[in-house]
């Protein structure tokens, strides 16, 4: 009896010692670094532009850098973790944290604005500046804040009261794992010009194509800022299968609705005389993609062929040939 009592007392003392653990799988043992938060990354998207296309896991194919912002329960920045291309292989990150409540946002492929992210102080004050001269970064966002079905499936455009999609509760001991599912925060626009008078030579200065009145920023919940950004490129020369001269420009652009103020404007010269033609994005959607509903988070490519026609009434078509779009700049 005395021997059994000694064992009982020793066992009781062991369980009271800070850092002690007795689980066979050691799941109740605290990590030497303290509580540990593991974020696992994934990105599922359609394999085509059809609404019913099958989703596929394409994180490693699409996302090459990740910026992790962890906010505390008071919505102040707790830590910022920038991840490079190694995240393509690991698809995860381990973050030592204190136990408690956190709110987490990740940006993928934020190639040119990482300094802005590093200077973040509070959830409410965050602003990702998209403004650029030629094209935005091919950005992605986590968590995926879309609803699964219905017209409500778009991401919110303004600050919401429900922050549950961002909330993670870290256990006081051991490891807490959480999955961050990404959604697209950009679209691709490919503009091809056909029959324009200044498309005569591969080495000649060609028309410029501008895409104006786009949103210039996102807030922390992917809400959109002012519609005041213009992306401008000179049309690159190429020929199609019939050796016709074409001009081509390709852009990453921010999200927009079916009802939007965006204009595609072409400026050039016709036998020395300047011209300007403007095609509203609403016309592109109505004529070329009438079945599409533009939801935040969809990863669609709009292929717009603009035919000079008579120089007054431009014709629009969906480009029927493949053109390698812009290089996102990954190493």
């Amino acid at each position: 009896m005395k021997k059994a009592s000694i064992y009982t007392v020793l066992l009781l003392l062991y369980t009271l010692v800070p850092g002690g653990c007795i689980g066979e799988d050691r799941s109740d043992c605290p990590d030497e670094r303290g509580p540990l938060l593991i974020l696992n990354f994934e990105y599922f998207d359609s394999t085509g532009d059809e609404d019913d296309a099958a989703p596929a896991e394409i994180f490693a194919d699409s996302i090459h850098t990740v910026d992790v912002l962890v906010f505390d329960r008071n919505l102040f920045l707790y830590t910022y973790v920038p991840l490079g291309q190694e995240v393509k292989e690991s698809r995860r990150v381990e973050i030592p944290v204190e136990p408690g409540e956190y709110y987490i946002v990740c940006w993928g492929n934020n190639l040119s604005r990482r300094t802005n992210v590093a200077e973040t102080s509070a959830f409410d004050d965050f602003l990702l500046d998209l403004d650029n001269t030629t094209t935005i970064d091919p950005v992605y966002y986590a968590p995926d804040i879309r609803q699964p079905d219905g017209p409500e499936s778009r991401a919110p455009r303004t600050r919401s009261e429900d922050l549950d999609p961002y909330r993670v509760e870290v256990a006081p001991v051991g490891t807490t794992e959480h999955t961050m599912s990404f959604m697209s925060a950009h679209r691709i626009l490919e503009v091809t010009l056909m029959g324009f008078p200044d498309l005569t030579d591969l080495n000649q200065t060609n028309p410029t194509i501008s895409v104006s009145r786009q949103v210039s920023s996102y807030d922390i919940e992917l809400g959109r800022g002012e519609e005041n950004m213009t992306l401008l490129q000179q049309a690159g020369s190429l020929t199609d299968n019939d050796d016709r001269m074409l001009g081509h420009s390709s852009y990453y652009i921010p999200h927009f609705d079916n009802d939007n103020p965006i204009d595609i404007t072409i400026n050039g010269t016709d036998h020395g005389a300047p011209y300007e033609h403007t095609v509203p994005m609403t016309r592109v959607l109505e004529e070329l993609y009438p079945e599409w509903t533009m939801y935040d988070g969809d990863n669609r490519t709009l292929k717009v062929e603009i035919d000079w026609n008579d120089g007054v009434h431009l014709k629009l078509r969906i480009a029927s040939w493949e053109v390698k779009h812009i290089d996102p700049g990954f190493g």
Side-chain angles (χ1 to χ4, degrees), residues 259-273:
D259 182 14
N260 63 79
I262 299 172
D263 286 329
I264 302 171
T265 303
I266 305 101
N267 289 91
T269 57
D270 180 5
H271 297 90

Side-chain angles (χ1 to χ4, degrees), residues 10-168:
L10 289 175
L11 181 59
L12 178 61
L13 289 174
Y14 181 74
T15 58
L16 294 177
V17 173
C21 53
I22 60 174
E24 290 185 6
D25 62 356
R26 301 184 63 81
S27 60
D28 58 341
C29 298
D31 190 280
E32 292 180 356
R33 294 163 291 179
L36 188 66
L37 172 62
I38 295 180
L39 298 179
N40 298 299
F41 304 125
E42 64 180 18
Y43 173 49
F44 286 86
D45 207 343
S46 300
T47 54
D49 286 326
E50 298 79 12
D51 287 328
D52 59 351
E57 209 295 309
I58 52 175
F59 178 88
D61 295 332
S62 305
I63 300 177
H64 302 256
T65 66
V66 173
D67 294 309
V68 182
L69 293 94
V70 181
F71 298 88
D72 64 21
R73 63 180 303 169
N74 297 313
L75 298 179
F76 288 102
L77 187 67
Y78 178 83
T79 188
Y80 162 61
V81 183
L83 303 172
Q85 293 206 45
E86 69 277 2
V87 77
K88 292 172 56 179
E89 299 297 329
S90 66
R91 303 191 188 197
R92 71 203 301 260
V93 63
E94 298 182 0
I95 307 175
V97 296
E98 300 172 43
E101 181 181 282
Y102 296 94
Y103 297 85
I104 302 176
V105 173
C106 297
W107 294 93
N109 296 353
N110 176 33
L111 305 176
S112 57
R113 308 293 182 182
R114 304 191 86 172
T115 301
N116 301 40
V117 171
E119 294 174 351
T120 300
S121 59
F123 194 90
D124 291 345
D125 299 332
F126 178 87
L127 193 68
L128 182 67
D129 181 18
L130 301 171
D131 194 16
N132 213 327
T133 57
T134 58
T135 185
I136 71 167
D137 293 329
V139 286
Y140 296 84
Y141 177 86
D144 188 337
I145 52 178
R146 295 172 292 180
Q147 299 299 317
D149 300 300
E152 318 70 50
S153 63
R154 71 178 64 251
R157 296 188 58 179
T158 56
R159 176 72 193 274
S160 67
E161 297 300 322
D162 181 13
L163 297 182
D164 278 351
Y166 305 94
R167 185 177 178 274
V168 177

Side-chain angles (χ1 to χ4, degrees), residues 125-253:
D125 299 332
F126 178 87
L127 193 68
L128 182 67
D129 181 18
L130 301 171
D131 194 16
N132 213 327
T133 57
T134 58
T135 185
I136 71 167
D137 293 329
V139 286
Y140 296 84
Y141 177 86
D144 188 337
I145 52 178
R146 295 172 292 180
Q147 299 299 317
D149 300 300
E152 318 70 50
S153 63
R154 71 178 64 251
R157 296 188 58 179
T158 56
R159 176 72 193 274
S160 67
E161 297 300 322
D162 181 13
L163 297 182
D164 278 351
Y166 305 94
R167 185 177 178 274
V168 177
E169 186 73 28
V170 176
V173 295
T175 297
T176 299
E177 293 206 31
H178 183 76
T179 298
M180 298 296 293
S181 298
F182 280 82
M183 58 187 280
S184 174
H186 72 274
R187 295 193 177 100
I188 296 173
L189 172 65
E190 296 183 353
V191 180
T192 303
L193 306 180
M194 175 180 289
F196 279 67
D198 33 358
L199 291 171
T200 58
D201 190 295
L202 290 174
N203 299 316
Q204 184 172 327
T205 300
N206 292 324
T208 58
I209 305 174
S210 61
V211 188
S212 60
R213 303 175 72 182
Q214 303 173 91
V215 299
S216 57
S217 63
Y218 289 133
D219 67 21
I220 196 67
E221 294 183 75
L222 212 57
R224 305 180 207 160
E226 296 183 9
E227 296 167 330
N228 59 3
M229 180 173 63
T230 297
L231 301 177
L232 177 65
Q233 295 184 29
Q234 182 175 307
S237 298
L238 65 157
T239 57
D240 65 7
N241 294 334
D242 297 322
D243 289 329
R244 292 173 297 187
M245 285 292 303
L246 307 174
H248 182 80
S249 292
S250 185
Y251 311 80
Y252 293 112
I253 60 177

